[in-house]
Amino acid sequence: MKTQSRVPVVIAACIALFASAVVLVNSNQSPEPLTGNWVVRTPTTNNDGTFRTTYLNLKQEGQKITGTIRVTQFFYHITESTGGPDGFTITGSMRDGTTERKVQYEGKLAGDELHISTRRRPQDPPTQMVAVRAPAGEGAMPPRNPLPALHKVADNGLARTPPMGWNSWNKFASRVDDATVRTIADAMVSSGMKDAGYQYINIDDTWEAGRDAQGNIQTNKKFPDMKALADYVHSKGLKLGIYSSPGPNTCAGYEGSYGHEEQDARTYAAWGIDYLKYDWCGARNLYSDEEMQAVYQIMGDALLKQKRPIVYSLCQYGRQDVWKWGADVGGNLWRTTGDIRDAWESMTRIGFNQNDLAPYAKTGHWNDPDMLEIGNGAMTNDEYKMHMSLWAMLAAPLLAGNDLRNMTPEILAILTNKEVIAVDQDKLGKQGQRAWQSGEQEIWTRPLSGDAVAVAFFNRANSEAKVTVRPADLKLNSMRKARDLWTHQAVGWAADGEYSLTIPTHSVVMLKLSK
């Protein structure tokens, strides 16, 4: 009886042992063919010695593929998939503030290579790539660093008027290099722009390489010696600016400052950098928009610790009402908008939407509607005059974005109009606002030091327009003298009656009124 009672127990034990063996065999089986970390390394077209990398960290389970995709500034989680090694499609998604971004790849396994393609837009031809296996963990997002408690970063005492200078991105994008920067500095002096008040020569994205063994940021082949470049720019009586991101990568996928903020600030100071543009981009993969203030505070503190004064420019596209806290993190200026384009629609949409932000501009801390497109060729000279006038009324930074080495006399005259620049640089530091609007005609006013007022009459219509206003309705009837800042002539001003003028299409008349 005892022997019979053991039979079920023995059978159960055998079944368990067999199951364990099956599990052991399965655990030793090779993973599905697509499973692994794949990388595409494509040399950039800038001859800078860096690579554009795309990582696909895939896990295949039958006909289902999961994992992540990391490309330049973006980090996606795979949310949809179909197919397998002979042909698959994967879709990655990520949140960017309130926007959902998606990317889709198609591909198949060919020997030890993954042949993949993607389209930037549905109507674009596919971009073909070949991925190879990379070590596990390569290209993974770094762990999220804790954020500091919020506090007020002290005013650095810089940018008492809106910064004036030049930035490389609008014209040169990733093609900027040491030689270009030197010749732009030369042109800023020889053209008279320096004498007109322009002083910063700002290098935007794509100057970065990786880091050395001690974690120090390195420049790539386009910029062999940043300290020597800074010395050259300083020898011209100008200042040098640079670009980075609080994320692991910049917008173009180059090395960001994440986890190295103080180290990078020390490096910038040692190089002789005078201005830092700090672009959100890669930080969105680790932090939410609601955490921006703390993220930007880290670099604000780091810059303030340096013995060298460095202007701090926040670039996060106006998210989270940055104008309300930009000064608190040490910012001297903060972008209020997405990127500008050399287009009438882009310039006017951005410029004329700044009205409500006027209360937040003050000495040392400025709203930034982005760089100037004047001279890049897609707008008329009258439209560029409106661009310059509107930015001056907004107390905006004046950062030229064209090729200073090849300007027409008309473009140079627009950029160096000292009377319009004087409005932008007025020491009272008050941003202008819309005072009147009728259809596509607008009047903006800006209080100036010495009890003066700047008045800009804008015509956004496709034909010339006559505007008639009563100075009393604009509270300008105490002004008795008027000077046209584009014709450089005194004009009549009917303070106690009506004032009429005709404005060409897509153009502006800008006056300075005084008592």
Side-chain angles (χ1 to χ4, degrees), residues 164-428:
M164 294 178 61
W166 175 87
N167 180 284
S168 62
W169 190 259
N170 286 358
K171 181 66 179 181
F172 296 96
S174 62
R175 301 181 305 278
V176 65
D177 58 13
D178 180 283
T180 301
V181 172
R182 290 172 186 259
T183 54
I184 289 292
D186 294 342
M188 184 171 281
V189 175
S190 63
S191 67
M193 288 187 68
K194 176 191 171 187
D195 290 341
Y198 295 86
Q199 59 176 332
Y200 291 99
I201 302 290
N202 293 343
I203 304 165
D204 212 281
D205 204 351
T206 76
W207 62 268
E208 312 89 336
R211 296 183 180 275
D212 66 15
Q214 289 73 45
N216 297 307
I217 186 71
Q218 303 294 292
T219 57
N220 58 45
K221 290 181 179 179
K222 295 190 300 174
F223 293 91
D225 190 335
M226 194 66 79
K227 177 66 167 64
L229 179 58
D231 289 344
Y232 183 84
V233 171
H234 294 154
S235 75
K236 299 291 180 177
L238 302 170
K239 297 180 179 180
L240 186 66
I242 211 164
Y243 168 102
S244 190
S245 169
N249 299 107
T250 64
C251 293
Y254 287 67
E255 187 76 16
S257 291
Y258 180 73
H260 296 271
E261 292 85 358
E262 285 200 26
Q263 193 172 18
D264 285 359
R266 289 194 298 271
T267 298
Y268 301 153
W271 283 343
I273 298 300
D274 306 290
Y275 184 115
L276 172 64
K277 176 181 175 181
Y278 209 45
D279 201 333
W280 179 248
C281 280
R284 60 184 151 204
N285 297 314
L286 294 167
Y287 300 109
S288 67
D289 280 13
E290 290 73 21
E291 295 171 308
M292 278 183 179
Q293 184 172 349
V295 173
Y296 274 90
Q297 179 183 289
I298 297 172
M299 183 57 83
D301 283 332
L303 293 175
L304 201 61
K305 291 178 182 178
Q306 309 311 311
K307 294 181 180 180
R308 185 173 190 84
I310 300 176
V311 168
Y312 189 24
S313 169
L314 280 53
C315 181
Q316 44 72 279
Y317 338 118
R319 293 180 178 180
Q320 290 295 301
D321 295 343
V322 61
W323 41 87
K324 296 180 180 178
W325 52 264
D328 292 341
V329 300
N332 297 109
L333 57 154
W334 44 82
R335 279 276 295 279
T336 59
T337 175
D339 292 350
I340 195 171
R341 293 178 293 107
D342 183 21
W344 166 255
E345 178 277 329
S346 175
M347 182 272 289
T348 53
R349 173 177 45 80
I350 288 173
F352 287 104
N353 281 330
Q354 304 294 307
N355 183 68
D356 295 341
L357 307 185
Y360 301 98
K362 58 184 178 182
T363 299
H365 309 284
W366 309 102
N367 294 314
D368 177 11
D370 207 2
M371 301 166 287
L372 299 171
E373 290 282 7
I374 296 168
N376 281 330
M379 287 188 269
T380 68
N381 286 344
D382 274 350
E383 290 168 346
Y384 286 139
K385 284 172 60 178
M386 181 185 284
H387 190 0
M388 186 73 175
S389 301
L390 183 51
W391 263 234
M393 295 297 289
L394 295 173
L398 298 180
L399 297 174
N402 61 316
D403 189 342
L404 305 187
R405 304 166 302 182
N406 298 292
M407 290 186 286
T408 65
E410 293 79 11
I411 292 300
L412 179 60
I414 292 171
L415 287 169
T416 58
N417 185 324
K418 292 187 178 182
E419 293 190 78
V420 173
I421 290 172
V423 172
D424 179 80
Q425 297 288 294
D426 187 78
K427 63 183 181 181
L428 191 62

Side-chain angles (χ1 to χ4, degrees), residues 71-83:
V71 52
T72 59
Q73 57 177 296
F74 301 110
F75 187 73
Y76 304 90
H77 288 273
I78 297 173
T79 54
E80 302 173 35
S81 69
T82 59

Side-chain angles (χ1 to χ4, degrees), residues 447-459:
L448 304 176
S449 55
D451 289 330
V453 178
V455 185
F457 300 81
F458 296 104
N459 178 21

Side-chain angles (χ1 to χ4, degrees), residues 124-157:
D124 291 342
T127 299
Q128 308 288 343
M129 295 175 283
V130 175
V132 297
R133 292 190 182 274
E138 182 180 311
M141 289 298 296
R144 174 188 156 106
N145 290 333
L147 292 173
L150 293 179
H151 64 263
K152 202 165 192 174
V153 178
D155 188 341
N156 59 18

